[in-house]
Amino acid sequence: MAIPKAQRWLLVALVLSGAASAVSGSIDPYFLDVVMGVGVGVVLASSLNLINGFTGQFSLGHAGFMAVGAYTSAMLSTVVAPRMGWGAGALQWVFFPASLVAGGLVAALAGLAVGAPSLRLKGDYLAIVTLGFGEIIRVVLQNVDAVGGARGLTGVPTHTNLLWTFGTASLTVYTVWALLESTRGRGFLAVADDEVAAEAMGLDTTRYKITAFGIGSFFAGVAGGLYAHLKGYLNPGGFSFEKSIEIVVMVILGGMGRHAGVVFAAILLTLLPEGLRELGSRSIPNPFGGPAWSLDWIKDARMILYSLLLILLMLLRPEGLFHRRQPRRPSS
Amino acid sequence: MSASASLLQLTGVTIRFGGLTAVSSVTADVREGELAGLIGPNGAGKTTLFNLITGVYQPTDGRIDFAGSGTAGRRPFHLTGLGIARTFQNIRLFPSLSVAENVRVAFHRHLRHRAWHSILRGRAFLAEEAELAERALELLGIFNLERFRDAPARSLSYGDQRRLEIVRALATRPRLLLLDEPAAGMNPSEKDELMRLIRFVRDRFGLAVLLVEHDMKVVMGICERIHVLEYGRKIAEGSPAEIRADPKVIAAYLGD
Amino acid sequence: MTEFLQQLLNGVLLGAIYALIALGYTMVYGVLRFINFAHSDVFMLGAFAAWVSVEKLGLPTRSVPGGLAALLAAMSVCAVLGVVIERLAYRPLRQRSTLTVLITAIGVSLLIQNVAQSPRLGFGPNPRAFPELFPSSQLHVGGLTVSTHQLVVLAVALVLLAVLYWIVHRTRIGTAMRALSFNATAASLVGIDNDRVISFTFGLGSALAGAGGVLYAMNYPSIDPLMGTLPGLKAFVAAVLGGIGNLPGAALGGLVIGLVETFVSGTRLSTFRDAIAFGILIAILLFRPAGLLGRPRVEKV
Ligand SMILES: Nc1ncnc2c1ncn2[C@@H]1O[C@H](COP(=O)(O)OP(=O)(O)OP(=O)(O)O)[C@@H](O)[C@H]1O
Ligand SMILES: [Mg+2]
């Protein structure tokens, strides 16, 4: 493998996240919120990239798995932790990551439950089934009073900070990268390229796909936990299939199965709406005198631009913005 | 097992697609270490037979035994693990992988490392990866492809892609190698080279080969025994000399 | 018993609407082998087209000619829209992968929804009351309550299904459609203009969706730009249930989904109503992926 000490990069990233976290007290809270949202976006996009990009599946249910993780870890923090007295002080530093992992594991189970039966399906069928599963998860959450039902779940402690978000983001990107960067891992790409040939070469394609679903959903679940403890409340409506599409668009824009491209796209697409919202609340002075020109319409046009961008991207550059039109770097 | 025992045994194998019987009650065998041929006019069912042997399709009727056990219900990857490898008539390399990666992926059944080893990236893992890279190069070397190792598989010439498919199949360490029209699109000198290589590979790795090929010079030149299909039925079996003289075969090829 | 019959009736009516939408999915899938995600938004625009023709263009309400005119207007608008969408967004992608087309379709769907939700360009995000297109009254037949609107739904759905059957089986273009969905290459070899047939299919499917939108809106008091999503997904499930690409299958699937949903609504599980369709979808794909009336295909290797 090209970088024998790949872990070094991971370490640097983790230390940087810690350092940033230590000084986060002096960062504007709104900005901090946006930045942490970026971290969550990176986790979501990179994990979906494993499923949709590298393994060539098409999941439209990522938000559903995110919801499972979010609710699991939020319930642990709001119900279990206070009862056991784990929510505060030093114990919080153990309990919170543990609850994130728990959320990830439950999401992974959900992912396996969805993946296993759906994997004989291809392309658009798989997309619809995963979409369906995502919606079922949402409908169920809306109907279970114990987790707040349609009103949502409030009072989630806001444990998420820069260390957790960027630590998780770095770990996710590293894991997906390292997994792929091996002879066994190249099998994911082979499965994406040609299932018949992959089976003929001895690859259990079903197992590859299920693994991708499991790992991808695990990280989606962890992202959900981060999100829950970032916002402090959860609302089932926030995990609708529009959210799944948003994550899919990150993966596509980043060039399906590109590590860095997808990270970059996740950053861009998380910042863009915030930027446009910010811009929309301003107005520019009228050079001819008279009332200032309001930029309010931008708020309105935001989603229209977004959908147009998606269509144009598919028509003009279906391989994504950051695709180099070159082969992937060989793994040895 | 003795050298003449059958490695692959087809007994009354039949498959129907809707109304069409693509392979009809075929009984045939391939012996350990044998270089066998399978010929027949277009649409005779040769590729379909390969798909049946490799588990891509399940026979409607009849049975297939490989190395003494039935293959019914087994998935293709499992049969590959048991020692059946193949190439495809319509080349199916992994286009997004490099030439060397195409070969390495096929080592899959013999890997020692697990998925999580690649995340920890310990010494044993890195050593195995280096060893695999080495082995891939070795195999590519046999077919003179090692200089393309980092090129994307799809950038190879047609003939090289066919050769790479053979290398990739060999990487699974088969006992039986199924080649579907490996000489298609090659010029005469490439065909001669290919014949030499097929013989070499058979001897070097001690495997049996079942070859589908339209070029009679190739088939007659290297096969020890030939099976002939027409409209899904087996119409003849024998040595190249016998097949050449068989009136049914001549009729099948010349049309009646 | 009357309760059961009443539910049965309601289920059939809802199912008829799903069937109209499902036919569009199935027809497009037949000729192009992809799921037209924007179909549900065409359905929504059908409802809005009728709304515009009454509220803005002054078609009379509560009148049979007025209602029919609004229905025809909605169908025409949707047909044109379907053809335009296909021409601009899907045709340039004819040779691309299914996923590229699927994502484009999602993009088109989002675009329509967002334009419709925009107060400046569209109708704004808030629900609007849907006018009474046809004279409305309740009829009581042996304990059952039937509104005239429900009768209109039934009549319109039956007429449209008959017309569709006639087009597909008795006209040249219908024959071409069937040929195309049987084998596209062969169809073009025998001189069928595939592009024209595909345009026609989109027009036809979208017109049915438009009609479905109007009928749906008639039985629900209000319409909004996101109203297409759920019925659209359910109709898609109906298409898969019947065997995607299979026209009678889509109609049958629509009926089944409509009935199941109506009967579930009457039970304690009613809040899970919207999840039921997906449960059905998953069950079919597991146990009978080709659908009720579809035939399994073997991939050629
Ligand atoms: N999945 C399938 N579904 C339907 N028919 C099939 C399928 N696979 C193969 N066939 C049919 O079976 C018959 C045999 O095809 P096959 O590809 O095995 O022929 P072949 O001997 O390999 O011919 P060629 O020399 O042209 O490669 C053909 O008529 C083909 O159309
Ligand atoms: Mg063949």
Side-chain angles (χ1 to χ4, degrees), chain A residues 1 7 174 178 181-184 186 189 193-194 197 199-200 202-204 206-208 328 330-332, chain B residues 75-77 80 92 94-97 101 104-105 108-109 111 113-114 118-121 125 129 132 168:
Chain A
M1 299 289 122
Q7 290 98 325
Y174 170 82
E181 210 64 16
S182 71
T183 299
R184 192 177 285 278
R186 281 303 192 247
L189 305 179
D193 274 353
D194 188 331
E199 286 258 336
L203 276 63
D204 184 345
T206 311
R207 194 162 161 177
Y208 267 101
R328 279 189 188 84
S331 73
S332 66
Chain B
R75 301 241 325 256
F77 75 88
T80 308
R92 300 185 86 135
F94 303 120
S96 69
L97 298 183
E101 284 172 339
R104 282 171 58 179
V105 158
H108 185 267
R109 301 300 296 177
L111 293 178
H113 71 255
R114 319 277 328 158
S118 60
I119 295 168
L120 299 181
R121 303 191 101 65
F125 165 79
E129 288 289 294
L132 294 174
R168 188 179 66 166

Side-chain angles (χ1 to χ4, degrees), chain B residues 43 45-48 89 180-181 212 214:
Chain B
K46 306 177 295 289
T47 301
T48 305
Q89 178 176 356
D180 202 343
E181 303 196 17
V212 166
H214 281 296

Side-chain angles (χ1 to χ4, degrees), chain C residues 44-126:
Chain C
M44 173 273 291
L45 286 177
F48 271 97
W51 177 81
V52 168
S53 57
V54 170
E55 300 286 327
K56 306 285 172 187
L57 307 178
L59 277 183
T61 54
R62 294 178 206 214
S63 91
V64 173
L68 287 179
L71 186 69
L72 282 178
M75 290 176 66
S76 325
V77 167
C78 290
V80 171
L81 204 78
V83 171
V84 170
I85 291 173
E86 191 277 322
R87 186 71 195 78
L88 294 183
Y90 303 151
R91 189 170 300 179
L93 300 175
R94 215 41 78 65
Q95 305 303 327
R96 302 279 186 76
S97 78
T98 326
L99 287 187
T100 307
V101 188
L102 178 71
I103 295 159
T104 311
I106 292 175
V108 172
S109 166
L110 287 178
L111 181 67
I112 297 178
Q113 287 177 8
N114 286 308
V115 170
Q117 276 184 300
S118 150
R120 288 182 180 78
L121 302 172
F123 310 105
N126 298 325

Side-chain angles (χ1 to χ4, degrees), chain B residues 3 12 174 223 229:
Chain B
C223 294
L229 287 185

Side-chain angles (χ1 to χ4, degrees), chain C residues 216-286:
Chain C
Y216 190 83
M218 273 167 46
N219 288 287
Y220 287 77
S222 68
I223 58 174
D224 69 88
L226 300 181
M227 66 180 268
T229 311
L230 267 182
L233 284 171
K234 289 174 190 165
F236 171 76
V237 174
V240 177
L241 176 63
I244 193 136
N246 182 310
L247 295 184
L252 176 68
L255 275 184
V256 173
I257 300 284
L259 283 168
V260 170
E261 186 179 325
T262 308
F263 278 105
V264 168
S265 303
T267 70
R268 282 189 303 126
L269 290 174
S270 67
T271 47
F272 287 94
R273 192 178 56 221
D274 293 339
I276 297 285
F278 289 112
I280 295 179
L281 174 68
I282 289 156
I284 323 159
L285 291 175
L286 288 184

